Amino acid sequence: MADKTRFARVFARLQPYRLWIQTAFLTIWLAPFGFQYHAVCAPVFHCYACPLATFGCPIGALAESSALIGSLAGVGILHAIPFLTLGILVLVGALVGSLFCGWACPFGLLQDLAARVPTPKFELPRWMGYLRFVVLGALVLAIPYFFGIEHPLFFCRVCPAGGLEVALPNMVQQAAKGEAVVWPNALKVTVVVVFLVAIFFFRRPWCRVLCPLGVIFSAFNRASAFFLKLDRNKCVT
Ligand code: SF4
Ligand code: SF4
């Protein structure tokens, strides 16, 4: 408990520099020197298909593994279980819970930056946080397992990070080269537009309402080695 208290005090002192620390972590996630290890997932929400991605995306890995396991019909599923990704998630969750969400995740940083724009901010009802479990259970695990990656609700097909970090740069590149611009499907465009509007009027709407990675890490919070006590008056994630 003493360690946890000391840990919490350190981060309380670092709080004024949180945005800088989040920004500094971009040098790890955005492959600034061209090193890419997509076989290893980072404990943050960042699309592996982004031209600037050092590591793989744990949610994409879970969704694809679930689809693969579903397609194998029980034969050889051991080889399809993403042990490395699960191990990273369990290790990070057990050690620091959702600490990476507040201090290192680039998708969290994007929402924090948007929240600094002086637009009116509204509160989200607490019950909406349970939607994250639905997203994880249905879109990341069940739909890929039963219907495969071609289903329109396969998580990556509606993921706003994929839309912003992959589809959008591709479209800009196509337009710059004078090629025909290939648009993502209508559902993904809608999700991205809603996300881009919502981040200016709600604090971290994706994290609070829909992020399946955030809900995995938050499940570890009470048991993690360095659990940080939640202060609802200060917490925005
Ligand atoms: S589309 Fe979303 S879930 Fe899929 S790999 Fe990219 S960031 Fe991860
Ligand atoms: S909840 Fe998801 S998007 Fe938000 S900071 Fe955590 S991992 Fe990143």
Side-chain angles (χ1 to χ4, degrees):
M1 181 59 77
D3 278 344
K4 292 182 183 183
T5 309
R6 209 175 305 142
F7 191 66
R9 277 204 207 107
V10 168
F11 278 89
R13 273 201 290 270
L14 288 174
Q15 187 63 33
Y17 312 103
R18 192 170 69 93
L19 210 60
W20 292 106
I21 294 170
Q22 288 171 289
T23 306
F25 265 101
L26 294 181
T27 60
I28 296 175
W29 314 132
L30 300 191
F33 307 111
F35 298 124
Q36 297 191 311
Y37 309 96
H38 292 172
V40 178
C41 290
V44 293
F45 199 60
H46 180 44
C47 195
Y48 80 96
C50 170
L52 301 175
T54 312
F55 300 104
C57 163
I59 294 302
L62 290 183
E64 284 179 12
S65 298
S66 186
L68 183 58
I69 291 169
S71 72
L72 291 174
V75 182
I77 58 169
L78 214 57
H79 298 293
I81 296 174
F83 288 111
L84 182 58
T85 301
L86 291 172
I88 290 169
L89 294 180
V90 170
L91 183 68
V92 171
L95 281 175
V96 294
S98 46
L99 185 78
F100 273 69
C101 287
W103 295 82
C105 178
F107 218 58
L109 171 62
L110 173 65
Q111 294 168 83
D112 285 346
L113 290 174
R116 295 197 154 217
V117 176
T119 44
K121 298 292 186 293
F122 304 96
E123 281 303 317
L124 289 161
R126 293 270 306 274
W127 63 264
M128 289 185 83
Y130 293 110
L131 294 176
R132 299 180 301 167
F133 292 95
V134 178
V135 172
L136 177 63
L139 275 63
V140 177
L141 300 176
I143 286 176
Y145 180 86
F146 289 111
F147 303 107
I149 62 172
E150 297 304 327
H151 193 280
L153 290 180
F154 175 73
F155 184 76
C156 291
R157 294 189 179 279
V158 294
C159 173
L164 280 174
E165 298 169 7
V166 183
L168 195 61
N170 283 346
M171 289 166 68
V172 171
Q173 203 174 29
Q174 287 157 359
K177 286 182 183 169
E179 298 170 356
V181 173
V182 180
W183 283 76
N185 65 61
L187 187 54
K188 192 164 207 162
V189 172
T190 307
V191 170
V192 170
V193 170
V194 170
F195 170 80
L196 286 176
V197 173
I199 57 177
F200 290 100
F201 296 98
F202 302 94
R203 292 186 193 282
R204 287 206 176 202
W206 174 258
C207 302
R208 290 176 160 200
V209 177
L210 295 170
C211 184
L213 184 57
V215 84
I216 292 173
F217 286 142
S218 65
F220 286 92
N221 270 346
R222 291 206 172 276
S224 66
F226 299 100
F227 171 64
L228 299 181
K229 191 172 180 299
L230 174 68
D231 182 340
R232 292 212 174 275
N233 295 320
K234 295 177 182 169
C235 180
V236 293
T237 67

